[in-house]
Amino acid sequence: MIPGAIATEFAFLLPTSTPSNVVGFTTGHIEIQDLLKVGVPLKVVGIDVLSFLMPTLGAIVFGTDEGKWVTRANSGWLGN
């Protein structure tokens, strides 16, 4: 779920993704093609970086390689 939550921040190509995109798009000076020219490469780079960092640095930061999340889930509301 963490990579999915982080990946939602890579919506640079949409007019409503950030407040500055909304302001620029509603003035009429920026069109969807302009947003796509900049947003698609940023999205590709962001997903590539996320795909590299989540298994490496993410395992250290979030402890996903230690099984901490599994033991928390089993000792919680499941009654194990």
Side-chain angles (χ1 to χ4, degrees), residues 5 15 18 21 25 33 41 58 62 76-77:
T18 63
N21 283 4
F25 186 71
Q33 291 84 7
F62 298 112
W77 59 275

Side-chain angles (χ1 to χ4, degrees), residues 28-67:
H29 296 291
I30 298 175
E31 297 181 7
I32 292 180
Q33 291 84 7
D34 299 326
L35 294 171
L36 289 174
K37 285 181 207 174
V38 176
V40 169
L42 282 173
K43 187 172 188 101
V44 169
V45 168
I47 290 173
D48 288 344
V49 169
L50 180 66
S51 298
F52 173 73
L53 288 181
M54 196 59 203
T56 56
L57 186 61
I60 296 168
V61 172
F62 298 112
T64 55
D65 61 341
E66 299 171 7

Side-chain angles (χ1 to χ4, degrees), residues 10-35:
F10 301 143
F12 303 113
L13 57 103
L14 301 174
T16 58
S17 62
T18 63
S20 58
N21 283 4
V22 173
V23 171
F25 186 71
T26 56
T27 61
H29 296 291
I30 298 175
E31 297 181 7
I32 292 180
Q33 291 84 7
D34 299 326
L35 294 171

